[in-house]
Amino acid sequence: MSEQLAKELQLEEENAAFPEVVAVAEGPFITGENIDTSSDLMLAQMLQMEFDREYDAQLRREEKKINGDSKVSISFENYRKVHPYDSDSSEDEVDWQDTRHDPYRADKPTTTPRKGFIGKGKDITTKHDEVVCGRKNTARMENFAPEFQVGDGIGMDLKLSNQVFNALKQHAYSEERRSARLHEKKEHSTAEKAVDPKTRLLLYKMVNAGMLETITGCISTGKESVVFHAYGGNATEDKVIPPECAIKVFKTTLNEFKNRDKYIKDDYRFKDRFSKLNPRKIIRMWAEKEMHNLTRMQNAGIPCPQVVILKKHVLVMSFIGQDQVPAPKLKDVTLSSEDMKKAYYQILNMMQQLYKQCNLVHADLSEYNMLWHDGKVWLIDVSQSVEPTHPHGLEFLFRDCKNVSQFFQKGGVAEALNERELFNAVSGLNITADNEVDFQAEIEALEKMNEDHVQNHGKKLSVFSSDGDPPIYDE
Ligand code: ADP
Ligand code: MG
């Protein structure tokens, strides 16, 4: 009973979905009169979809067979018939008309002799002959893009009318363009979690070159970067590869970086280049900036990752942690009060070194970008770090100081300076304002003074004038 009901329901559903199909099957189609062709398009589309699905499945099987377990794989992706599922195809119908190529123009001169006819007397065949034209059209389908399957029309002696040929040709063009666009879209976007094909290739190259042994997995996915863990490979003549590496891939989706423009745009080291670059190159500059800043820090002896290599937007550095486990962020670790105090003085010291020796302000310093490893604090994430004379450099420093002071004051370090004291201790400046608003105003006044100096003398003040060296705080 329920089976019967199910059958009936299904029939009803089918009738609702394809009313014409049923009508055609029962009606005029059999008699050959008044052929209703209104559902032909739908049928053709369904058949095409079916064909495409089978074609893709076969392609996947072949791709799998060729690649096997190889580390480097060949993708057949471009040959897939992905378009039936592509929704944003509405503009295509007009798109092909934009091309300089006139799809209605014959591609090659016809083989009909100049006089325009072959034969003699009664057997004369002109270039307008339907059969000749039809065969010629079939042969011309060979010129369509290779992924456009035209079948063996010539073998079947298929004769295509001009109208059908033109429609097919138009279709072939728009398909070609659509596939190219889809491909491009895919190539140029970075997937949320994984990396885009170009980045993957870069990583594979590093593994193939023996620089990295294996890339084990993802440590972190942030808004602007994805960080992977890898085991280091063989040392080269000029490079020692650490046993464990962190690979920071700067994301090539551009949106997230827009609001970070100010860090790099006003950094004079990158200023000249910034305006001339496209967004893709700007992202490489973030990676480059991180590399330079890490190198400066390394030279000053500040605990931080050591740069291994920079390739485009991929920065390889030493891994802070052990056996694939990254060192915890300061925010995630519970330290004894003794260690907490030790960490505080160490950070105070590092901030001074960063400012004085490296001529840098971290600009994103907080318990999120400090790792606790080997009984000490390590600084990471310095792509946005700037020089103190950056138009907003002192503001960034003040923000860093606020984060550090708050964290350690909350963490029970009684000795922790407040943010204003910390700012003065790091910068060596002596801003006396005793409240945040005035303090901030004085900082901005200093920055403006520096900018005016740049305007008038074309040169930045090397350091803001201070009353001698700041006292070095130590335990
Ligand atoms: P983001 O700009 O995404 O915050 P980070 O440089 O802070 O980039 O890296 C994100 C996370 O990846 C860090 O919080 C840290 O856990 C991990 N990480 C980054 N670099 C290293 C490294 N050299 N060693 C170990 N872990 C790292
Ligand atoms: Mg970070």
Side-chain angles (χ1 to χ4, degrees), residues 219-220 222-225 227 246 248 290 305 317-320 326 329 368-369 371 380-381:
I219 309 169
S220 140
K223 269 195 299 189
E224 290 126 8
S225 70
V227 181
K248 186 165 178 178
E290 174 127 33
M317 54 189 148
S318 61
F319 180 71
I320 313 300
K329 298 182 187 87
Y368 288 81
N369 283 328
L371 306 182
I380 59 161
D381 202 0

Side-chain angles (χ1 to χ4, degrees), residues 219-229 244-250 257 260 290 294 304-306 316-322 324-329 332 362 364 367-371 379-384:
I219 309 169
S220 140
T221 340
K223 269 195 299 189
E224 290 126 8
S225 70
V226 188
V227 181
F228 296 95
H229 170 273
E244 289 184 80
C245 295
I247 308 169
K248 186 165 178 178
V249 177
F250 288 76
F257 281 91
R260 297 180 64 180
E290 174 127 33
L294 281 176
C304 67
Q306 189 187 346
V316 183
M317 54 189 148
S318 61
F319 180 71
I320 313 300
Q322 208 181 353
Q324 296 186 42
V325 182
K329 298 182 187 87
D332 293 327
H362 188 290
D364 192 16
E367 57 276 25
Y368 288 81
N369 283 328
M370 295 190 265
L371 306 182
L379 293 190
I380 59 161
D381 202 0
V382 289
S383 63
Q384 73 294 316

